[in-house]
């Protein structure tokens, strides 16, 4: 049987990808950011998953205003790094897992989540930057990501975006789906985006270190309460783009301590926690949780 | 329009909702077209001519030509779409975000290194934080006045 | 305040559209089909809605296999009749209602339905045939449909399709959304597709008159029970394409007798009921319900 | 493959699920292309050449060339997609559906006028209805044997 064994949470700041692609990781500005992922890269090697279920948001890349899916699951065999305007990132293409992805889609739709199934999608920094942070620099031609990835895109661009509570419930449905897959697979689920940042207007550059860390504390220890955070709190406290944090709740909801919407099992172990300001406009948050 | 909008009292912030999306539809779709290298070339060769291929309002076109991202946003632009213009110009997200504050690139970068903009005074319209309307533009631009 | 006052249910057989477009409605084969809609055309004139919320399915027209949304709401200003391979039907373009559609999208997403918002969509026979049946022949250039239409597309092409129960719940969420719109609008909700038919394989041409009529009886009088019909029953009893009937449950769920998932208000009045076999491969069912 | 499939015991019926969809991806996407008049023209001018532009399997191409819709479906085709081939040929849905039974057009049309195919004996594989495998092909085609 397949099993979700761990969850990884990380910001997916595009400038981090650019710093890696342009060889700037040793600059003073960037050193502390990447140092926060040294543990994580080793952990990825020691705990190599068979599949990563990667929750991210598309940033007006694969999805224009023609069609805006609330939740979209990628069931294709592969996904190309997107050209977001600067040219595609020089990273390996992303290999999917069509069979597990289709299984999850079927199970989750039957659990009353109204997914959009996507068979053609270029993946932007929201998906590739977390992979780069966790796996290090890879040659786009000769290297490969360590395992297949199922991209799961959440609309956080056009309001209304799904509620934290809905995301948290979805995580539970995804775990149920994975649990019912009959092949033995070690699955990691990643929640990406955030933390506090605002990319627009006179309020651009907003960072809220206290709120971010309090939110992290609560997400770990009281995920049900955290999932009830209303949208407006994210906007007001963590900046207009801080709303991306609802995606972390999908990964958190998929952990095994959550049963029927409540904390009922043993708490996950916090293997690693990191917080740094800034990366470009953004506060970087990162967490690794292992199921017990 | 009868969408509930609990987010109108946040200073310096436009939430991209259905109404903004409708207003900015062609502006944003124009931005999407810049994800193709050949369209970026065509745009750079003759910006006005390229813009005229799109059913955007004249104001939207002016806002793009002026590279005034705040103006673009008021006409319905969304930052993730508008970022494609910045990418075409070789600008980073930090340069784009900073440009909306009136600060110089260095001022904005320094603010970020020092921990970013504080939320104090910037939660609700009418407080006295640096993102409030009466304190614009910020940085050197604001001091010059 | 906007209000849903009535629901209309009808099959959307493409051959019916072709018969109208090619002037065959007076042929012996077609006469009884169109006679079943004589009452309805008059009723439409006497009860002209301000907006029609039209639930249909796309038949591999606007949505290819690249992206398959479970539920998609059209928020555009207009929608063109699609070229499904025979050329576009000669009918007026469909005028949308972006403001109400966006309001419904926002409300329904906040009620935990994970819609896809669609701003570009050609509409196929699933949407235009019901309009033609209820409004009669119209000139594509000089005439117009009687009111704006909000297209709402449901995936019934690739499994898994949403359950009848989920559709029924969605109907209630849509009514709640309409009720909270502050302009005075008379809204009709239409459920289309079905009834029994199978378009494939050695079993093509299956019709199940008894099952269809029992299902209709139950949908009117015991909609909660009807919504619990499992998918496999539709396939087995009403043919592989009979699954389209789940869409009728969205319109039924939006009627005012349904409160908190149960029948609690006064039953709607059955203004008209019609059933005929065949139109091309399909059993034609049709119903008009008015709220009380 | 671990999708639950409670629908495998229905005779003469292929449910278009994720597995079929994956198998038939390019066949169905080829069909979608026939929604453009100019592509229909190109296809009609040289079917083989047009098919060769698509990464379909040779079997899928043969099934299309043979206009054998049952064969197309076994290779992952879905009827709503395949209908675009029929439309290109000027065929109706009734002609397409009928073609999958082995019946002549008239036989199939008459069956429909007489109330359609009965569900009796056609609910489960192994019963004795006219859609069961051991009773194919149907109509005159079946009687000729
Ligand atoms: Fe992001
Ligand atoms: Fe249909």
């Amino acid at each position: 049987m397949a099993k979700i064994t761990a969850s990884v949470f990380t910001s997916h700041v595009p400038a981090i990808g650019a710093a890696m692609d342009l060889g700037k990781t040793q600059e003073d500005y960037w050193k502390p950011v990447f140092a926060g992922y040294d543990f994580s890269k080793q952990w990825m090697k020691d705990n190599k998953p068979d599949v990563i279920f990667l929750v991210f948001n598309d940033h007006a890349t694969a999805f224009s205003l023609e069609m805006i899916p609330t939740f979209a699951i990628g069931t294709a065999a592969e996904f190309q790094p997107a050209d977001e305007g600067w040219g595609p990132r020089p990273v390996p293409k992303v290999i999917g897992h069509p069979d597990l992805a289709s299984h999850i889609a079927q199970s989750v739709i039957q659990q009353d989540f109204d997914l959009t199934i996507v068979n053609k999608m270029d993946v932007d920094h929201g998906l590739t930057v977390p992979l780069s942070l966790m796996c290090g620099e890879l040659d786009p031609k000769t290297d490969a990501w360590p395992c297949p990835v199922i991209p799961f895109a959440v609309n956080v661009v056009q309001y209304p975006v799904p509620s934290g509570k809905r995301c948290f419930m979805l995580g539970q449905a995804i775990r149920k789906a994975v649990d019912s897959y009959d092949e033995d697979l070690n699955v990691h689920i990643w929640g990406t985006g955030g933390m506090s940042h605002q990319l627009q207007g006179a309020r651009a550059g907003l960072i809220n270190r206290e709120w971010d860390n309090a939110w992290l504390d609560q997400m770990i220890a009281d995920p049900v309460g955290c999932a009830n955070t209303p949208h407006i709190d994210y906007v007001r406290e963590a900046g207009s783009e801080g709303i991306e944090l609802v995606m972390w709740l999908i990964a958190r909801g998929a952990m095994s301590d959550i049963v029927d919407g409540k904390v009922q099992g043993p708490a996950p172990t916090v293997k690693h926690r990191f917080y740094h300001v800034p990366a470009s406009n953004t506060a970087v948050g990162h967490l690794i949780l292992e199921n017990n | 329009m009868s969408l509930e909008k609990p987010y109108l009292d946040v200073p310096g912030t436009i939430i991209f909702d259905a109404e903004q999306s409708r207003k900015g539809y062609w502006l944003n779709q124009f931005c999407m077209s810049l994800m193709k290298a050949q369209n970026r070339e065509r745009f750079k060769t003759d910006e006005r001519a390229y813009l005229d291929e799109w059913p955007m309002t004249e104001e939207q076109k002016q806002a793009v030509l002026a590279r005034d991202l705040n103006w673009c946003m008021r006409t319905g632009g969304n930052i993730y779409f508008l970022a494609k213009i910045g990418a075409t110009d070789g600008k980073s997200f930090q340069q784009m975000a900073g440009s909306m504050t009136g600060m110089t690139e260095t001022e904005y970068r320094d603010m970020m290194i020092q921990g970013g903009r504080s939320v104090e005074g910037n939660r609700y319209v009418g407080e006295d934080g640096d993102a409030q309307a009466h304190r614009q533009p910020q940085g050197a631009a604001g001091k010059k006045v």
Side-chain angles (χ1 to χ4, degrees), chain A residues 39-212:
Chain A
F39 171 90
S40 313
K41 277 183 274 201
Q42 190 56 47
W43 178 87
M44 268 298 278
K45 283 182 188 138
D46 299 340
N47 297 273
K48 200 177 97 52
D50 297 312
V51 185
I52 298 166
F53 189 92
L54 204 160
V55 180
F56 74 113
N57 68 293
D58 179 77
H59 302 79
T61 304
F63 307 136
S64 71
L65 292 181
E66 287 184 7
M67 253 177 112
I68 306 161
T70 295
F71 295 127
I73 186 165
T75 54
E78 54 180 66
F79 306 89
Q80 298 297 333
D83 180 349
E84 300 177 55
W86 292 271
R89 286 195 62 210
V91 293
K93 69 181 175 192
V94 173
I95 305 298
H97 198 303
D99 198 55
L100 177 59
S102 299
H103 170 84
I104 294 174
Q106 168 152 330
S107 169
V108 165
I109 290 171
Q110 285 172 345
Q111 292 176 69
D112 287 349
F113 290 84
D114 316 310
L115 305 189
T116 292
I117 291 167
V118 181
N119 286 308
K120 193 184 170 188
M121 171 165 62
D122 286 352
V123 287
D124 72 12
H125 68 268
L127 184 132
T128 61
V129 166
L131 284 172
S132 291
L133 275 169
M134 296 295 292
C135 309
E137 278 106 345
L138 293 175
D139 185 280
K141 298 223 169 99
T142 56
D143 293 332
W145 301 113
C147 69
V149 173
I150 299 174
F152 190 91
V154 178
N155 169 42
V156 292
V157 170
Q158 181 177 320
Y159 273 60
V161 312
S163 69
K165 209 174 149 190
R166 182 72 177 161
C167 290
F168 189 65
M169 285 163 56
L170 172 59
Q172 295 162 63
I174 291 166
R175 186 178 77 241
K176 216 163 160 180
V178 170
D179 282 350
S180 68
Y181 189 72
D182 53 18
E183 194 183 335
D184 277 328
L185 291 175
N186 175 13
V187 179
H188 289 182
I189 183 165
W190 293 14
T192 74
M195 303 206 54
S196 58
H197 64 306
Q198 171 146 346
L199 301 177
Q200 56 150 315
R203 204 168 171 250
L206 185 123
I207 297 288
N208 194 340
R209 182 184 284 270
E210 291 69 33
W211 190 91
D212 281 346

Side-chain angles (χ1 to χ4, degrees), chain A residues 12-14 57 59 125-126 156 193-194 197 241 244 247, chain B residues 80:
Chain A
H12 57 211
V13 188
N57 68 293
H59 302 79
H125 68 268
V156 292
H197 64 306
E241 278 64 57
E244 290 187 341
M247 295 186 288
Chain B
Y80 292 124

Side-chain angles (χ1 to χ4, degrees), chain B residues 6-93:
Chain B
Y7 40 72
L8 292 180
D9 61 353
V10 182
T13 304
I14 299 174
I15 293 297
F16 191 67
D17 59 14
E19 195 175 354
Q20 285 296 111
S21 174
R22 216 150 56 231
K23 206 158 107 181
Y25 188 78
W26 287 114
L27 166 57
N28 290 316
Q29 294 296 78
F30 146 74
C31 292
M32 289 300 282
S33 77
L34 299 178
M35 289 173 64
K36 291 212 175 89
Q38 90 199 57
N39 289 338
R40 292 195 289 270
E41 272 322 303
R42 287 184 51 229
F43 174 65
K44 281 196 265 193
T45 306
D46 186 344
E47 296 197 2
R48 179 75 217 194
Y50 189 81
L51 287 167
D52 283 340
E53 294 173 18
W54 296 84
M56 296 157 62
T57 65
E58 179 59 28
E59 186 185 355
Q60 288 172 328
K61 294 178 192 174
Q62 291 301 335
V64 171
L65 292 169
R67 298 296 193 275
D68 183 335
L69 295 185
N70 282 324
W71 191 8
C72 287
M73 291 200 65
R74 285 196 302 273
T75 65
N78 168 278
I79 184 59
Y80 292 124
F81 291 84
L82 298 174
K84 277 65 174 166
I85 305 174
T88 302
D89 292 337
K91 293 222 186 310
S92 70
F93 260 105

